[in-house]
Amino acid sequence: MNDLRVRLREVLFASFSEKWDVPRFGAWLRLLAQTGQIETLVDLATTDMFHQVGEPSDLKSALIATSDDETIDDTLRYWTLDALAFWELQADKHERNPEPYLERLSQLLARNPLSIREQTGFQMKQVLYAGMQGDRKTADSIFDAAFSLSKDDVLGSRLLRYNYAVALFHCGHLQDSLHIADALSAEYYAHFDLHPEDLMGASGPGLIRLLPDDLADHEDDLKRLGDCLNFAALCSRKLGQNPILIAIQAVKFYQVSKSYRSEMEAAQDVADDMLEMGDAIGARQVLETHVLPLLVYCDFNSRALNVRGQYAVVLAYCGDYDRARSEMEKLLPYISDLPLFYQDVITNQCRLIEDIAAGRMPLPSPTAPPICNQSHQRARKQKIGRNDPCPCGSGRKYKKCCGQ
């Protein structure tokens, strides 16, 4: 049986040169775990792509087993624990538990300091976790120490600053977080010789034409730009602003960098932004274009209830009450197996749909997205017609968007 798995693993890997897709990549990852290729699996676990495809619960089990193996060297154990700590820090706040992995990383580095890369990587997670605990003093102290180590490493210092910004966000210092996110976004834009206004109206092939020819070699930095924009959008929402323009840009960069999980989650936020603007049809289009297809294609099972519930509410706001109720009925059989928090979420969504149908919860009055001066300038320069797509990238007609 193991010989068959080894052969299948080799066949799948060889096929990537001709065709790469999420299902076969996920299958290959699982075969790595099943055939003992743990070092390769750990190497991949430190990449962004690893965390963008499918549900890695079985892969996580393989990494846990590796972290407990006393025969492996400290560097391999470090990156195994690093990947596990990363998973926990990214988990929902009701489920995350990074302390055991952070403690083991601390013990490992006390015994063997390894390289500056490993030390800084651990400090990034310490900064982030301190922020999650609301402890800015500790986050500041660790950040200062880590920054002195990574100041000559452009990528390392950017990653550190991003994690520091997220830590400040958790501490409630939103303006400081937004300032760092904006500065990082500007650096990544400059790296690609781009300006935010270049993205107005550009998507898919149009955006790819603006990027380097060797796109695959730049996917990590494109994803990081998407992260900075998406985080800036999150800060803006918390500050009471509608960030739909930069949120849409984040979705675009996630799309071209094949960051499927991030694309889907960012697009869900954009759909919520559109509901806030009174645009239920636009919200539905975003979910049906960027979210529902990825849910199926990438087999994001853990996101299914969240996505389906949101889609049902949007359908209700579009007046499609029967279909909204049908979507929620599909979720009801799974409620009893969920933690109480998630049970309450689904119950509230069912109640909201009925309130919408009864007219007790009307959609906010339609509003235009935030006015973008570059949109107006680009429209005048290119003579955008009133019925043409708005150059801001919202997907609306120009006359119903920035052309108002």
Side-chain angles (χ1 to χ4, degrees), residues 271-272 274-276 278-284 287 309-325 349 351-365:
D272 286 338
M274 289 187 165
L275 285 183
E276 288 289 326
D279 185 3
I281 294 176
R284 181 173 179 173
L287 293 178
Q310 181 186 22
Y311 184 52
V313 171
V314 170
L315 288 173
Y317 273 124
C318 289
D320 199 344
Y321 308 124
D322 289 341
R323 189 171 174 193
R325 293 183 180 111
Q349 286 173 330
R351 186 180 298 118
L352 176 58
I353 289 169
E354 295 308 318
D355 287 342
I356 295 170
R360 293 188 294 268
M361 188 62 66
L363 190 67
S365 299

Side-chain angles (χ1 to χ4, degrees), residues 2 28 48 51 79 140 148 157 160 164 175 202 226 257 268 299 346 348 391:
N2 194 59
W28 180 66
D48 286 330
H51 300 279
W79 289 112
D140 287 346
S148 65
S157 64
L160 176 62
Y164 180 53
Q175 289 289 1
S257 64
Q268 286 186 263
D299 195 24
I346 294 177
N348 290 336

Side-chain angles (χ1 to χ4, degrees), residues 149-162:
L149 278 178
S150 65
K151 59 185 179 181
D152 296 326
D153 178 1
V154 174
L155 175 59
S157 64
R158 284 177 181 165
L159 294 175
L160 176 62
R161 287 157 58 203
Y162 176 83

Side-chain angles (χ1 to χ4, degrees), residues 301-360:
N301 296 324
S302 67
R303 300 287 303 177
L305 297 178
N306 177 287
V307 170
R308 291 294 175 184
Q310 181 186 22
Y311 184 52
V313 171
V314 170
L315 288 173
Y317 273 124
C318 289
D320 199 344
Y321 308 124
D322 289 341
R323 189 171 174 193
R325 293 183 180 111
S326 176
E327 286 287 336
M328 296 309 296
E329 286 173 2
K330 295 174 184 176
L331 305 183
L332 296 180
Y334 304 99
I335 288 185
S336 60
D337 295 328
L338 297 174
L340 288 177
F341 172 80
Y342 297 105
Q343 292 185 32
D344 290 342
V345 169
I346 294 177
T347 299
N348 290 336
Q349 286 173 330
C350 289
R351 186 180 298 118
L352 176 58
I353 289 169
E354 295 308 318
D355 287 342
I356 295 170
R360 293 188 294 268

Side-chain angles (χ1 to χ4, degrees), residues 259-283:
S259 303
Y260 300 119
R261 185 185 298 274
S262 296
E263 178 190 350
M264 186 175 74
E265 293 174 356
Q268 286 186 263
D269 291 336
V270 169
D272 286 338
D273 293 336
M274 289 187 165
L275 285 183
E276 288 289 326
M277 294 162 48
D279 185 3
I281 294 176

Side-chain angles (χ1 to χ4, degrees), residues 91-108:
D92 187 275
K93 64 181 180 180
H94 303 283
E95 300 173 348
R96 73 170 68 109
N97 182 30
E99 293 97 330
Y101 301 119
L102 293 175
E103 178 61 27
R104 291 177 66 186
L105 282 168
S106 177
Q107 294 171 358
L108 189 154

Side-chain angles (χ1 to χ4, degrees), residues 130-352:
M132 290 177 174
Q133 300 296 102
D135 185 355
R136 174 160 188 175
K137 183 178 180 180
T138 298
D140 287 346
S141 176
I142 298 172
F143 171 77
D144 290 340
F147 193 74
S148 65
L149 278 178
S150 65
K151 59 185 179 181
D152 296 326
D153 178 1
V154 174
L155 175 59
S157 64
R158 284 177 181 165
L159 294 175
L160 176 62
R161 287 157 58 203
Y162 176 83
N163 280 276
Y164 180 53
V166 177
L168 296 184
F169 174 87
H170 286 292
C171 291
H173 298 274
L174 303 178
Q175 289 289 1
D176 290 345
S177 295
L178 182 57
H179 177 73
I180 296 172
D182 285 341
L184 286 169
S185 298
E187 289 181 26
Y188 281 114
Y189 269 121
H191 174 71
F192 289 108
D193 195 22
L194 287 174
H195 300 278
E197 57 266 29
D198 294 334
L199 269 70
M200 301 303 177
S203 61
L207 176 56
I208 290 175
R209 283 195 291 271
L210 299 173
L211 299 173
D213 292 336
D214 51 344
L215 189 60
D217 295 335
H218 296 276
E219 286 178 350
D220 285 347
D221 279 333
L222 289 168
K223 193 264 181 183
R224 291 173 188 132
L225 174 52
D227 285 339
C228 293
L229 293 168
N230 192 48
F231 180 63
L234 175 61
C235 293
S236 297
R237 291 186 190 100
K238 291 291 186 180
L239 289 167
Q241 305 163 7
N242 190 317
I244 192 165
L245 298 181
I246 57 173
I248 289 172
Q249 290 175 351
V251 172
K252 292 178 181 180
F253 281 112
Y254 284 143
Q255 186 177 40
V256 297
S257 64
K258 300 178 184 176
S259 303
Y260 300 119
R261 185 185 298 274
S262 296
E263 178 190 350
M264 186 175 74
E265 293 174 356
Q268 286 186 263
D269 291 336
V270 169
D272 286 338
D273 293 336
M274 289 187 165
L275 285 183
E276 288 289 326
M277 294 162 48
D279 185 3
I281 294 176
R284 181 173 179 173
Q285 289 174 340
V286 168
L287 293 178
E288 292 177 347
T289 301
H290 291 281
V291 178
L292 295 177
L294 289 177
L295 184 68
V296 176
Y297 177 59
C298 297
D299 195 24
F300 288 139
N301 296 324
S302 67
R303 300 287 303 177
L305 297 178
N306 177 287
V307 170
R308 291 294 175 184
Q310 181 186 22
Y311 184 52
V313 171
V314 170
L315 288 173
Y317 273 124
C318 289
D320 199 344
Y321 308 124
D322 289 341
R323 189 171 174 193
R325 293 183 180 111
S326 176
E327 286 287 336
M328 296 309 296
E329 286 173 2
K330 295 174 184 176
L331 305 183
L332 296 180
Y334 304 99
I335 288 185
S336 60
D337 295 328
L338 297 174
L340 288 177
F341 172 80
Y342 297 105
Q343 292 185 32
D344 290 342
V345 169
I346 294 177
T347 299
N348 290 336
Q349 286 173 330
C350 289
R351 186 180 298 118
L352 176 58

